[in-house]
Amino acid sequence: MAENKISFWILTALVVGNMVGSGIFMLPRTLSEAASPAGVLLGWGVTGFGVLFLALVVGNLAIRKPELHGGPQIYAKELFPKNSKTSLISGFMSSWGYWIGNFAGNAAIITTFASYLSTFFPILNSKLVIVEIGPFTLYSGNLLTFFVCSILLWGLHIIILKGMDGAGKLNFVATAAKVIGFFLFIIIALFAFEKSNLLPLYAPRYEETGLSLGLGGQVYHAAISTLWAFCGVESAVVFSGRAKKKQDIKKATIIGLLLALSIYIGISLLVMGILPQDQLMQSDKPLVDAIEIVLGPIGAYLLSGLGIISLLGSTIGWILLSSEVPYQAAKQGLFILAFAKENKKGMPVFSLILTNACTQVFLFSTISNSMASAFDFVIYIATLAFLVPYLISSLYQLKLVVTGETYMDHFGRWSDGVIACFATFYSVWAIFAGTSDLKTFLFGMILLASGMFFFPLLRKQKNVPTKESVA
């Protein structure tokens, strides 16, 4: 279906749009707390270098294995003997965990969208009490926020059901506006940049225990903080089954990564150069505080507007990606059959409905603080769902290199082997660093293992669906 084929620019917009979301607005403060300017820049270098190898791996696999669609987690089944139970379990479990992490993350993006909208509509922060039952208190602002979030979710749901062409173009426009906005921010910030605010390049930072961190420790902490900025680098690979040209997937991944990296580093460096380090570490809104020095109070509104545009693009992209993952897995026999259902526009109708329904459940977290705390915990332990697929793709690339499958020349095989080794090393480090807390790791494993309750349904399926349409 031609209208379902995605161009290079749409693929690139999905990568940039999904990588550059709400996190960029608070990242300068987070980094300033973790490290001095020298540590921050080196941290960006470590993360950028590692993720570049991951991007090369997933882009290369999309070209070498074009029949495998749906994202890096889909390669899990290829690590084991074909058609074995282990292959089926690993493919299902990795797709299950990645899907859960996605729709939980979607709720976080949408609720953040509402928080930026409150700058223009303060009523969303109203503390007028509507209902009070025991410890539970429902404020009018919370209720309005819930309705706004729900309207955004299901409004985009309707748009996406009308076809990939319209949804992709809307995402492209929002992402283009976002990129232009951030680059304008960088240009404006140059007028207030003071090199003296970056000095000293190396200054002490301390752990919660009071232990002083050396430069190496600061780089480590900064690299962990920047790691989450790159979730979504695999977006083009998830849509490999819809790409007009398979070669576009790798190019879109690399170019999207470089664009996102330039935005992140540019903004981090400039905000550090505008705000003194002690002020930056105390700022609740670092980008707003920085732009207000140049533009005055109007800067807060401009940044909030940019935040709304940024999050709108991210919401579209992540909803598309979240529904595409189980859809493509189901088409390859790795997920429950119903997820392979399409509408007349070729969109994954059942997958989209269930994904957004699960997101809607998480949106109830906007109604009470206790629900919000539980939601934050789920997001926190979903870390493994995003990191494990990166390791899976790296290991699969190594397997292809070792076996020689798809390779005709020795140079390409060995160069890909070197890249895969670096990507594997970085992926292992990211998993251990990102889940260094044992509680986080164990609960993350439980979240992934929850898919075993549904695995028997998959075993009952005798045939792999190729295409199933619904009205």
Side-chain angles (χ1 to χ4, degrees), residues 118-190:
S118 66
T119 301
F120 301 96
F121 301 98
I123 193 174
L124 294 175
N125 293 323
S126 173
K127 293 300 181 181
L128 177 66
V129 176
I130 295 179
V131 175
E132 192 169 2
I133 305 174
F136 173 75
T137 302
L138 177 60
Y139 298 104
S140 62
N142 289 16
L143 185 61
L144 286 172
T145 296
F146 172 75
F147 283 129
V148 167
C149 291
S150 300
I151 290 170
L152 174 64
L153 174 65
W154 295 105
L156 292 177
H157 174 91
I158 294 170
I159 292 173
I160 292 171
L161 280 179
K162 292 182 178 179
M164 183 63 74
D165 186 56
K169 287 178 179 177
L170 181 58
N171 174 264
F172 177 80
V173 170
T175 301
K178 175 195 308 188
V179 171
I180 292 171
F182 281 123
F183 275 112
L184 285 175
F185 174 90
I186 291 173
I187 293 171
I188 293 170
L190 285 171

Side-chain angles (χ1 to χ4, degrees), residues 258-397:
L258 294 177
L259 273 173
L261 187 61
S262 63
I263 291 172
Y264 274 120
I265 294 179
I267 287 178
S268 297
L269 182 63
L270 286 166
V271 172
M272 285 191 298
I274 294 174
L275 300 176
Q277 292 184 38
D278 56 347
Q279 182 181 342
L280 178 55
M281 284 189 282
Q282 300 299 321
S283 176
D284 291 328
K285 45 186 190 316
L287 267 66
V288 172
D289 290 343
I291 205 70
E292 281 186 339
I293 292 177
V294 184
L295 300 179
I298 194 175
Y301 290 97
L302 291 176
L303 258 297
S304 295
L306 183 57
I308 289 171
I309 294 172
S310 176
L311 289 160
L312 178 63
S314 295
T315 303
I316 298 168
W318 279 107
I319 289 176
L320 282 168
L321 185 145
S322 301
S323 59
E324 188 76 6
V325 166
Y327 164 70
Q328 291 291 351
K331 290 179 71 176
Q332 297 174 70
L334 296 175
F335 223 73
I336 300 167
L337 181 62
F339 283 86
K341 292 180 180 178
E342 302 173 353
N343 65 6
K344 293 180 180 179
K345 296 291 185 177
M347 300 305 292
V349 58
F350 179 84
S351 180
L352 190 60
I353 290 172
L354 191 56
T355 297
N356 288 342
C358 291
T359 301
Q360 180 70 64
V361 172
F362 280 103
L363 288 181
F364 280 102
S365 66
T366 59
I367 291 181
S368 78
N369 292 333
S370 57
M371 289 181 185
S373 298
F375 169 56
D376 290 342
F377 180 68
V378 171
I379 289 291
Y380 190 50
I381 65 175
T383 300
L384 278 175
F386 290 101
L387 297 180
V388 168
Y390 299 152
L391 177 60
I392 289 171
S393 56
S394 302
L395 291 174
Y396 184 50
Q397 175 69 81

